[in-house]
Amino acid sequence: MFISVFDIFKIGIGPSSSHTVGPMVAVSKYLDRLKGIPGLSGREDLRISVTLHGSLAFTGKGHATDQAVCLGLLGARPDTLDPDAVDTMMTSLRQEKSLSPDGLPDMAFDPENDVIFDYGPPLPLHSNAMTFKLQDSDGKAVDQFVYYSIGGGFVVTEAELSNTRNTRDELKTQDVPYPFASATQMLEMGRKEERSIAEMKLANECVELSQAEVEARIDGIWSAMDSCINRGINGGGILPGGLKVKRRAGEIYQKLIREGRSNPPFEHTVMDWLGVYAMAVNEENAGGGRVVTAPTNGAAGVIPAVTRYYLDHCPDANDEGIRTFLLTAAAIGGIIKTNASISGAEVGCQGEVGSASAMAAAGLCAALGGTNEQVENAAEIALEHHLGMTCDPIAGLVQVPCIERNALGAVKAVTAASLALRGDGSHFVPLDGCIETMRQTGLDMSDQYKETSTGGLAVNIVEC
């Protein structure tokens, strides 16, 4: 399936693409659905409620899912919402307890009671489900509908999700020049056409947009990522949520600057730079700031960190290399999403930081002149060594272990790219096999380790 680079990389707000960005998108979709229902105009007896199921319920408070629902009902969009306006919007809604959606009648909505956390079994199709219900003053249902937030800010209906799963082995041919749905197809097309992965991905994108438009939008994505790093290394204080986690990126960054001026750096200091870039992004995300899903918010720091590493530490780095990096990374991310998952609630953190590390490894390898076979090898190495990684955020917050985990994912990505570039692209485990292993591992993984905060680190930390 063709998944655009601009679907993989989306500008949004923290702390979670599946639990914050996705619910806001789902709310917008539901309000659009209501506009097509006859007989609603002029009614004054309507109340709307939203029930969160599965992972959305268990970690919804820590991931600000209830707040995201409220903001979405107020008309906010994740790509345009000003994070500084959130408190004012929420205060007003709590006082008014009503909504005035564009094109729809006013509706009663109490944010304290009409966002419902269902802590029972998740719905069958996916752990991240939301049931919207519109009812009258007597409690009679006027409309009810379910959306699924499947990771990375992607939102689908039950029919769409079922169709995607039923056609996993026979994916539709897309109306693009290079409709690869697997790494094997990608390599075969590249050999046949003598084109790089980035060139094929660019050609696919140019079906809908001109090359100049595609490149300008990619430049915009990188600018947003880089700005997030810069905000993070200039930030400070304590992250919200109650764990009292201190923002460290700014302090570490200043130490690295001072050490670089006064002493010859250790060779391994480059890993500190990778770490501080990644942590800067994920501290911004944890604070509800503006980030780019890459491919998720919880894993948003890996790709920006490795891209910044490419710019700051690799000879001859340039803007064209960044475009090659992001196009290649998006191609790998699309293959992973098509054949497995990028949702921590579905397959654990191997699908989030693991996917991000594989994408970053592939992107760096390509930007440094790697062949398609070396790029595929780099992605496989990075993903293979995240297999089985659980998602067990403490207190349901995207802070511990998520922030540091991005730093380690970035280091693994650079290591994987370096190993691949030292070889000729031939290797034992194909990327497609590794992706399928991740999918199967996710299916076998206990739900308590898949973004529910009911197992692992989330329950084994003694609070002082």
Side-chain angles (χ1 to χ4, degrees):
M1 295 174 68
F2 172 66
I3 301 175
S4 172
V5 61
F6 306 114
D7 289 326
I8 292 292
F9 300 126
K10 296 186 288 290
I11 297 174
I13 62 167
S16 172
S17 53
S18 58
H19 289 58
T20 310
V21 175
M24 292 179 71
V25 173
V27 169
S28 179
K29 286 178 176 284
Y30 186 66
L31 293 179
D32 286 342
R33 170 186 165 82
L34 293 184
K35 293 174 185 177
I37 297 178
L40 293 185
S41 180
R43 293 190 62 163
E44 299 179 354
D45 62 339
L46 298 175
R47 172 177 291 276
I48 192 169
S49 65
V50 183
T51 300
L52 308 174
H53 306 278
S55 176
L56 290 181
F58 282 104
T59 60
K61 288 290 186 181
H63 285 61
T65 306
D66 48 349
Q67 179 173 276
V69 169
C70 296
L71 294 171
L73 289 169
L74 291 171
R77 298 282 299 181
D79 56 338
T80 57
L81 175 64
D82 178 2
D84 293 333
V86 168
D87 288 345
T88 300
M89 295 171 69
M90 290 299 300
T91 298
S92 177
L93 180 60
R94 292 188 186 100
Q95 293 172 347
E96 298 294 330
K97 298 182 180 180
S98 66
L99 305 166
S100 299
D102 289 342
L104 290 167
D106 290 352
M107 303 174 187
F109 176 78
D110 181 356
E112 301 301 323
N113 298 308
D114 291 327
V115 179
I116 302 160
F117 293 82
D118 173 15
Y119 297 110
L123 298 192
L125 288 182
H126 196 284
S127 181
N128 287 343
M130 306 173 63
T131 298
F132 291 83
K133 181 181 288 187
L134 186 69
Q135 54 193 20
D136 61 21
S137 56
D138 295 326
K140 181 180 178 181
V142 177
D143 183 69
Q144 183 169 310
F145 202 76
V146 178
Y147 286 102
Y148 297 87
S149 178
I150 61 173
F154 291 89
V155 173
V156 296
T157 64
E158 181 174 331
E160 290 168 336
L161 185 56
S162 297
N163 181 61
T164 299
R165 293 185 171 186
N166 291 338
T167 60
R168 187 182 298 278
D169 297 325
E170 297 179 7
L171 295 164
K172 297 178 181 177
T173 298
Q174 303 294 301
D175 189 19
V176 293
Y178 303 100
F180 53 81
S182 68
T184 299
Q185 292 175 351
M186 178 182 71
L187 293 177
E188 288 174 349
M189 291 178 189
R191 283 191 290 265
K192 181 179 179 180
E193 300 293 330
E194 297 184 346
R195 304 195 82 176
S196 70
I197 294 168
E199 288 171 338
M200 291 189 290
K201 186 66 174 171
L202 178 61
N204 288 346
E205 298 290 342
C206 289
V207 169
E208 297 292 336
L209 300 169
S210 70
Q211 181 170 335
E213 289 174 313
V214 173
E215 291 179 346
R217 290 184 64 179
I218 291 173
D219 292 347
I221 291 294
W222 166 241
S223 177
M225 289 178 173
D226 196 38
S227 294
C228 188
I229 292 174
N230 292 333
R231 288 195 305 275
I233 58 180
N234 285 292
I238 303 297
L239 291 170
L243 289 182
K244 299 181 180 180
V245 173
K246 180 182 177 182
R247 293 179 67 137
R248 293 179 288 161
E251 183 177 332
I252 295 172
Y253 176 77
Q254 291 302 324
K255 287 181 179 178
L256 288 170
I257 292 293
R258 290 195 298 270
E259 290 171 5
R261 290 172 181 162
S262 59
N263 300 304
F266 290 108
E267 293 293 336
H268 65 249
T269 299
V270 71
M271 292 188 290
D272 297 338
W273 284 106
L274 275 165
V276 78
Y277 296 149
M279 290 173 63
V281 171
N282 282 87
E283 287 175 356
E284 278 294 293
N285 179 64
R290 188 168 301 283
V291 298
V292 178
T293 60
T296 67
N297 281 27
V302 178
I303 289 172
V306 178
T307 308
R308 183 76 169 256
Y309 162 82
Y310 164 73
L311 269 182
D312 290 356
H313 299 277
C314 296
D316 302 320
N318 54 42
D319 290 343
E320 186 59 37
I322 292 176
R323 296 182 194 121
T324 294
F325 187 120
L326 295 179
L327 284 164
T328 305
I332 299 301
I335 290 172
I336 295 173
K337 185 183 185 309
T338 296
N339 296 288
S341 176
I342 57 171
S343 168
E346 190 170 19
V347 297
C349 198
Q350 58 176 350
E352 296 206 27
V353 170
S355 296
S357 187
M359 294 164 64
L364 179 61
C365 185
L368 295 178
T371 65
N372 289 353
E373 287 73 20
Q374 289 172 319
V375 167
E376 185 260 2
N377 188 15
E380 187 280 325
I381 294 171
L383 184 60
E384 179 181 339
H385 299 290
H386 284 88
L387 290 177
M389 181 174 281
T390 59
C391 182
D392 49 356
I394 297 174
L397 297 165
V398 193
Q399 298 179 15
V400 182
C402 318
I403 294 170
E404 287 182 352
R405 186 166 285 177
N406 276 258
L408 274 293
V411 170
K412 285 185 181 181
V414 173
T415 302
S418 181
L419 286 172
L421 286 166
R422 296 291 184 183
D424 62 4
S426 60
H427 55 108
F428 192 79
V429 179
L431 177 58
D432 288 332
C434 192
I435 292 171
E436 175 58 18
T437 300
M438 183 182 80
R439 186 183 74 85
Q440 293 178 7
T441 302
L443 291 174
D444 293 339
M445 189 181 291
S446 170
D447 285 345
Q448 66 180 343
Y449 301 121
K450 293 192 286 189
E451 209 168 0
T452 59
S453 291
T454 57
L457 285 175
V459 299
N460 285 298
I461 301 301
V462 178
E463 296 187 15
C464 299

